[in-house]
Amino acid sequence: MSQSKKWLSAGVAVAAVLTLAACSNGSSSKGTSARLKLPNNYSASAKATKAGNNSTLKVAEINDAPFEGITAATIATNAEDSDVFAPGGMGNMFFFDKNYKIVDGGLANQKLDRKNNTATMTLRKNAKWSNGQKVTAKDMEYPYEIIGNKDTVSQQYSSDYENIKGMAEYHAGTAKTISGITYPDGENGRKMVIHFKHMSPAMEYAGNSFIWSSVEPYEYIKNVPIAKLASAPQVRKNPIFVGPYKLDKMVQGESTSWVPNKYYYGKTPKIKHITIQVVSSSNATAAFKAKKYDFSFTAAPSQYPQLKKLKNYAEVGSPALSYGYFGFNVGRYDTKTGKNVMDKNAKMGNKNLRQAMFYALDSDAIFKKLSNGLSWRGNTLIPPAFKAYNDKSQTGFKYDMPKAKKLLDDAGYKKRNGSKWRSDPKGKKLVIYFGAMKSSAATESRYQYDLQQWHKLGLDVKMTSGKPMEMNSFYSTLQQPKQNKIDIFNAAWQTSSEPTPTQLYGETAPYNMGHFVSKKNTQLMANMNNNKSWNLKYRKNQFYAWQKYMNQQAAYVPDNFSLNYTPVNKRVKGYSMAPQDNQLWAELQLTSANLK
């Protein structure tokens, strides 16, 4: 379960929206408009066997680019890394219930004190790293230093962390330590106390934007400058973990192999070997048909009709915490102040232009016909997996080409002097560059549909570099403090298990790659976690107000929501997507040595 925000690749993790349009030209697929419901767990009826558990569990990471290979949760930026290193636990500290609320029993327990504005984390006595070293209070604190350091490569920082006393000063470089984090029994002890300016109900949930949910091995990496952590061998080649498995072998960008971690504090892992391998989306269905994999982290909705026919597999699914979105480049990131800055003269700075581009897309028709009930048009930037906070009354951008054209006409985007294309309100030539990730033929046909619709609207939109971009190059471009190669981009977020969006769309958020900033946006997000927010009705209303406001501004536009699913081979026991199954990897078992 993801406990931090990360970007996703195209085609699979973005769910149906990027894998459906391949059928739009001459497809015989009828699809369905009904949203599919699947069980969130599967367990083979047969008993686990010694031969089965002594064999290898084979897992597919369906992706059309190599994984980056960063094992430190504080600096990892893509969900693929979280997937391929999942058996090691990614440093996760907390267990949580079906609603992602933190409960006792994990690597550490948490106690909130609203009266004194503190959070106390206490490590269990047998907490150790996979190299046998003790997990310490300093290991719980060090992630805050990594995230908040002014020279960090971490993308997780936002103004919410400045609720910790002393964090703002540390982040600015005017203090060497974070004064609001203390160690009651010393750095090598088991307790850490965080002193806040105020408490928030978000703190009760794993993955919130105030309390980091994982540890980093301070003694193991302390001699590596924080700015160079991403390339350090301790992170890239010889990492250590706190989860049920430890890394046995890694082929960079391609696969990871795992064996049980004898120092794991929890249940003894049952399976002796695990391999996780990257598989392209175009080869995924054939790989499952050939019984090469027990399950995947997610699968493409367009492949569901073929996968559900496999007799020796069962389909398991759960509402995705991820969602697809479009973003516009409307500014830059000021590296000196650590803040995003809007450019009033930005090419995509006109709200009418942004809205028009999405009223021109008939996403509902695409999903109803082709998603097999696994994906649908998104209505806001809060996925429905967060039932209490997704505002169902928001309609988002339903297809309305006449409205799209009127929005442009009213804003002065008109065809002049017999031109095929609209020019900007000042009469200057307007060329819009669309950035998207290289993926399967299915994915890339959706891009062509988008271009087609925008051309019908009279906008001269072209792919950046003339074609889809390799995933790492795509995000590298967007993460530049200032760039002019991409005006509009199609991407996706893997959210954490708490819905506060400050780390994605806040003024100080590095993940705010379109650089949208406004006083109202900042205020609405702050209201989600102020002192009044302990009243659920008030907090819910702030989330609703923010979703409405972001739809009006259309600087970021929801693309799709989905059901995350995978086929599971019928030799597997104990597979689950339920949030409360905190020790999934340790509990998995196999009934036979070979896939059924």
Side-chain angles (χ1 to χ4, degrees), residues 129 131 133-136 138-139 142 187-188 216-224 234 240:
W129 291 97
N131 66 351
Q133 287 184 337
K134 183 176 74 170
V135 181
T136 67
K138 183 64 179 180
D139 296 337
Y142 200 50
E187 291 187 1
N188 290 322
E216 296 289 1
Y218 175 71
E219 283 296 324
Y220 193 62
I221 62 175
K222 66 181 181 181
N223 293 324
V224 180
Q234 294 96 320
I240 56 176

Side-chain angles (χ1 to χ4, degrees), residues 33 37 115 139 190 230 233 283 358 368 442 474 556-557 586:
S33 61
K37 292 184 178 180
K115 182 178 179 181
D139 296 337
R190 295 170 45 230
N283 291 330
F358 290 94
K368 286 180 180 179
F474 170 80
Y556 290 101
V557 174

Side-chain angles (χ1 to χ4, degrees), residues 523-535:
Q523 187 61 57
L524 285 171
M525 288 192 291
N527 290 350
M528 295 172 186
N529 292 291
N530 63 18
N531 289 325
K532 295 180 182 179
S533 66
W534 289 93
N535 180 303

Side-chain angles (χ1 to χ4, degrees), residues 187-199:
E187 291 187 1
N188 290 322
R190 295 170 45 230
K191 287 189 177 183
M192 174 182 75
V193 179
I194 304 177
H195 302 261
F196 294 98
K197 297 172 184 176
H198 76 269
M199 304 298 282

Side-chain angles (χ1 to χ4, degrees), residues 303-320:
Q303 297 170 354
Y304 181 75
Q306 291 76 41
L307 293 174
K308 74 175 181 179
K309 294 178 182 178
L310 301 179
K311 294 182 179 180
N312 292 314
Y313 286 87
E315 281 67 49
V316 176
S318 179

Side-chain angles (χ1 to χ4, degrees), residues 108-125:
N109 293 337
Q110 173 179 280
K111 183 179 180 181
L112 301 180
D113 185 340
R114 289 178 62 184
K115 182 178 179 181
N116 293 306
N117 291 337
T118 62
T120 300
M121 287 74 179
T122 304
L123 288 162
R124 58 192 305 140
K125 292 180 180 180

Side-chain angles (χ1 to χ4, degrees), residues 82-319:
S82 294
D83 288 347
V84 299
F85 297 118
M90 291 296 285
N92 286 343
M93 290 169 58
F94 304 125
F95 281 2
F96 38 86
D97 66 15
K98 65 180 181 179
N99 297 312
Y100 306 105
K101 192 171 185 178
I102 295 172
V103 296
D104 289 352
L107 184 73
N109 293 337
Q110 173 179 280
K111 183 179 180 181
L112 301 180
D113 185 340
R114 289 178 62 184
K115 182 178 179 181
N116 293 306
N117 291 337
T118 62
T120 300
M121 287 74 179
T122 304
L123 288 162
R124 58 192 305 140
K125 292 180 180 180
N126 61 338
K128 290 184 178 182
W129 291 97
S130 56
N131 66 351
Q133 287 184 337
K134 183 176 74 170
V135 181
T136 67
K138 183 64 179 180
D139 296 337
M140 292 192 286
E141 183 273 344
Y142 200 50
Y144 296 90
E145 292 189 37
I146 295 172
I147 292 168
N149 189 280
K150 63 183 181 67
D151 298 319
T152 191
V153 295
S154 174
Q155 301 290 304
Q156 298 293 340
Y157 192 81
S158 78
S159 57
D160 284 349
Y161 280 115
E162 293 176 7
N163 186 36
I164 299 172
K165 292 181 179 180
M167 177 59 97
E169 292 79 4
Y170 173 76
H171 183 61
T174 58
K176 293 183 178 181
T177 60
I178 304 167
S179 61
I181 300 181
T182 58
Y183 316 92
D185 50 1
E187 291 187 1
N188 290 322
R190 295 170 45 230
K191 287 189 177 183
M192 174 182 75
V193 179
I194 304 177
H195 302 261
F196 294 98
K197 297 172 184 176
H198 76 269
M199 304 298 282
S200 161
M203 296 175 184
E204 295 182 322
Y205 297 86
N208 70 76
S209 54
F210 298 88
I211 297 172
W212 188 250
S213 296
S214 65
V215 290
E216 296 289 1
Y218 175 71
E219 283 296 324
Y220 193 62
I221 62 175
K222 66 181 181 181
N223 293 324
V224 180
I226 288 175
K228 296 182 178 180
L229 269 178
S231 59
Q234 294 96 320
V235 171
R236 290 277 193 168
K237 294 181 179 181
N238 304 299
I240 56 176
F241 298 89
V242 293
Y245 286 85
K246 65 179 183 178
L247 191 66
D248 182 47
K249 181 182 178 182
M250 175 169 58
V251 178
Q252 183 62 43
E254 297 180 10
S255 66
T256 58
S257 300
W258 303 83
V259 294
N261 170 18
K262 68 179 181 180
Y263 297 108
Y264 178 55
Y265 62 85
K267 297 178 180 179
T268 301
K270 308 296 191 299
I271 299 172
K272 300 303 181 185
H273 304 279
I274 296 175
T275 61
I276 302 174
Q277 188 168 21
V278 174
V279 183
S280 69
S281 57
S282 60
N283 291 330
T285 299
F288 277 109
K289 286 182 178 179
K291 302 179 183 179
K292 290 186 176 180
Y293 300 102
D294 288 289
F295 58 83
S296 61
F297 286 94
T298 187
S302 62
Q303 297 170 354
Y304 181 75
Q306 291 76 41
L307 293 174
K308 74 175 181 179
K309 294 178 182 178
L310 301 179
K311 294 182 179 180
N312 292 314
Y313 286 87
E315 281 67 49
V316 176
S318 179

